[in-house]
Amino acid sequence: MIRRLAPALTLLGAVAAWEALVRLAHIPHYTLPAPSLVAQTLLQNFGSLAASWWFTLEITFGALALACAGGVLIASVFALSRPLEQALFPLAVVLQVTPIVAIAPLILIYVESTTAALLLCAWIVAFFPILSNTVVGLRAAEPHLRDLFRLYRATPMQRLRLLLVPSALPYFVAGLKISGGLSLIGAVTAEMVAGAAGRETGLASRILEASFRTETPKMFAALALLVLTGVLIFWSFDALSRALLGRWHASQRD
């Protein structure tokens, strides 16, 4: 029981310390708002922030869905063809190591739709962990089982479906946990680079607007929504991991 409550107690202690620091040191709200003021600001501006939050969620989960579909499909092709993996994997590495802040302005120039450009930027950030982890998982199948499938002359699709996919599942879920947060980071970073404004914009635009007006509590309120979103994404995929792997995989054993 104590172990389960420890994270929540640690978080509550950090928030209480933050509140006490602001009050005892008399720090002005435009420098560092107290958590109570941030919560009050969030409630007062939730209407406008909620619309932007939903837009950010659409970009985040849209990019994550595309990353999962593309990453798993390409990883499956790589697992069945080593020459294709050797030829094409460096391109994926190039996408991964190129900072999204550096290529986002180019994407915004080449892609007419700002929403599509933001989606592409978030996808680039989220794609590689899914691809890399899934490829490793597909390669991690037990050698004796590989020999058995070869002995029984299993087709490539049978090997993929019955042997390689179960082997890759723990690795895929691990990549999903990473890509979930990265897709959110990619969406926010791309929108900050775009400097978009208007109705169809996310929380990054609300943060930029608040910074221009020196509305620090509102900046913290939007940031709190982003942090909450990232934590919920991780917890959701962690729960999915336990549901899929908890009964048979060693990574979920206490």
Side-chain angles (χ1 to χ4, degrees), residues 67-86 88-89 127-139 146 155-169 172:
C68 288
V72 170
L73 178 61
I74 297 174
S76 300
V77 173
F78 285 175
L80 296 176
S81 175
R82 178 75 73 172
L84 273 178
E85 179 184 358
Q86 293 174 343
L88 299 179
F89 197 80
F127 169 72
F128 188 80
I130 297 289
L131 173 65
S132 179
N133 279 36
T134 305
V135 168
V136 172
L138 292 172
R139 298 289 185 198
R146 288 179 180 270
T155 65
M157 289 307 299
Q158 287 175 328
R159 287 193 293 114
L160 179 65
R161 181 170 58 89
L162 299 175
L163 175 62
L164 301 183
V165 169
S167 170
L169 186 59
F172 168 75

Side-chain angles (χ1 to χ4, degrees), residues 43-248:
L43 291 176
Q44 291 174 348
N45 297 273
F46 189 76
S48 61
L49 291 176
S52 299
W53 187 26
W54 181 252
F55 181 82
T56 298
L57 289 176
E58 288 180 337
I59 298 296
T60 298
F61 286 104
L64 183 59
L66 291 175
C68 288
V72 170
L73 178 61
I74 297 174
S76 300
V77 173
F78 285 175
L80 296 176
S81 175
R82 178 75 73 172
L84 273 178
E85 179 184 358
Q86 293 174 343
L88 299 179
F89 197 80
L91 297 178
V93 175
V94 169
L95 282 178
Q96 172 66 15
V97 300
T98 303
I100 192 63
V101 176
I103 61 175
L106 293 175
I107 294 175
L108 290 163
I109 292 174
Y110 298 142
V111 180
E112 292 186 5
S113 170
T114 302
T115 301
L118 297 178
L119 190 62
L120 179 57
C121 291
W123 172 82
I124 290 174
V125 176
F127 169 72
F128 188 80
I130 297 289
L131 173 65
S132 179
N133 279 36
T134 305
V135 168
V136 172
L138 292 172
R139 298 289 185 198
E142 175 63 38
H144 297 300
L145 290 177
R146 288 179 180 270
D147 293 338
L148 181 63
F149 272 70
R150 193 176 298 110
L151 178 64
Y152 281 97
R153 298 181 180 178
T155 65
M157 289 307 299
Q158 287 175 328
R159 287 193 293 114
L160 179 65
R161 181 170 58 89
L162 299 175
L163 175 62
L164 301 183
V165 169
S167 170
L169 186 59
Y171 296 85
F172 168 75
V173 174
L176 195 59
K177 291 181 184 179
I178 300 171
S179 291
L182 288 179
S183 60
L184 177 62
I185 293 172
V188 172
T189 302
E191 189 173 1
M192 285 193 165
V193 173
R199 295 180 61 186
E200 292 296 319
T201 52
L203 286 174
S205 293
R206 303 288 81 77
I207 292 175
L208 290 175
E209 291 174 3
S211 67
F212 295 151
R213 299 170 183 172
T214 323
E215 296 176 339
T216 309
K218 191 173 182 180
M219 291 176 61
F220 272 83
L223 181 60
L225 276 180
L226 287 175
V227 172
L228 176 63
T229 301
V231 171
L232 289 177
I233 289 174
F234 180 83
W235 280 351
S236 298
F237 289 141
D238 186 61
L240 177 64
S241 175
R242 292 182 179 275
L244 293 176
L245 310 175
R247 294 185 178 181
W248 63 276

